[in-house]
Amino acid sequence: MIRTIQELFKITATLVIGSLILVNCEPDADQLGSQFFQDGAQGTEKTYPVVAYNVNNNDSIRTDAARLQSATLGAFSESQFGLQKSAYVTQVRMGNSVPDFGVNAKLDSAVLVLKPQYAIDSVTTVTNEDYIYPEGAVPAKKVVSSYPIAKYGKTKISGKTLLNIKVNEVSDFLGANSDEVRSNKVVSTGVQIGAKTFDGNIHLVRVTKDADNSVLFERTAAIRIPLDSTFFANKIINKANTPELADAASFIRYFKGIRVSVAETDGYLFNFDPSTTELNLYYKNDKVVNGVTTREQSVYPMNLGASNANFNQITYDRTGTASAAALATINQISGDAKIYAQGMGGPGIGLRVPAADVAAIKSLYNSNKIGIVSAKIRIYTDITSWNNDYRKPNSFVVRQRNLTPAAGQPEYLNDYLVDLSALSGTGIYNLVKSYDLLKNPAYYDIGITQTFKNIIEKEAANYDLVLNVGDYTVDSGGTPQGAFFPAFAQNFNTRSFTPYRAVFVGTDPLNDKSAKLILTYGQKNN
């Protein structure tokens, strides 16, 4: 399709932005620059087919402590991608080096606390104005605020939003928190030491004294999983002053960690912050005051923070699904008609502007002196295979791929696209723009203006682009965190804990939603 627009650069805001891109990215002002804004300038928008193919990431991604800003838990199964299931594994350390539980310590209970993302604006509140606080029988008011957690998948199972969460002891030493761990790592587990049937809601509890409105009790919104008190009494409380609890190195080999999983093979996935996970031991011990012995309630917090090795185990079962068939017959040469993109280590999207089209555009550049103002690749979700209400990906990470690297050269380039490196802080550039995410189909534009200009104007290599579900992490100023570490730039992303997926139209000449390059260029009329 070709569309000609007279005086394009004078009257459209889009090309005002394009001119800013030229100012920021084009060092040779005599090639483009001012000639586009003179009387008689002409703008042309043209589309070219793109080779789109599936990329098999082997269902594996790093999910160790360095990458897991957010952890996932749950299971979700649907017809196109099959089952994706996530468990969380972590070490547990002592709260201090040599714990002292006092005289005649007896464990009352042990509780694991997970703090998932939740909808703070979807609250249901129940107030009891006549509550009597049990410690001292104090007249009080009790307010329970309930929030639904953020879920991806089927939010109701058999009419209810239930997941059966299990906690098992880990039998394998988990190493150091600096170790690289991939999502398909398998660890042995021992006995089950905790369980909870979770209904999808978390509760904030606040008790205030009637007399002066002071706070008597407050508990944050979280999932609280009761653990086996006998296990922790024997494992921790009764082992005080033993060599196993004497130092951190001994303890993480004695009590190697826990694995949190769900029993279901279908339901939903949710995210929680691993750095705020808690394991609390509630116990009583003897306290003697003036010769009188009383039993005092205490809590001992175990350490589940950043010093611990932790990772997500992610498993898949695509048996009999369309995605399994597609990944078994990837066509990198002429493309695949349907593309299956899935977060958390699932497959991605490969894109290539055909060499013949690149050669034709270079000829236009050399012969007609065109100037590229905008280049973007557009992809659509496939309405025949993905017509549902599941949340669609809102962004992708994008990297270049050399399908035929020379000996010693990497297949994947680790730095950002030059567009992102140069323009991420300007406020005028988005690597990925998404449209109609609440509709079917949705579509996405991948901004590659400077990357493509370099291919056409500076003979840069025409590498493939690979898109994976996720986004780049940014600092407080909005700059991608990898901007200062070009060799590791692609490591700073959310791929390992972003659960979204979708089926896309790939290369399909009979489908008007087939992947395409949309090129806008200027040419001065002679």
Side-chain angles (χ1 to χ4, degrees), residues 1 35 66 91 157 193 203 242 288 305 366 401 459 477 524:
M1 177 185 72
Q35 63 179 349
Q91 285 175 332
I157 309 166
I193 57 176
H203 312 283
T242 62
V288 180
N366 292 321
R401 181 186 193 185
E459 297 299 325
K524 182 179 178 182

Side-chain angles (χ1 to χ4, degrees), residues 94 98-102 105 233-246 254:
M94 302 303 298
V98 185
D100 182 3
F101 301 113
N234 293 330
K235 197 81 174 179
I236 308 296
I237 299 295
N238 299 342
K239 299 290 287 188
N241 302 315
T242 62
E244 291 88 343
L245 273 60
Y254 162 65

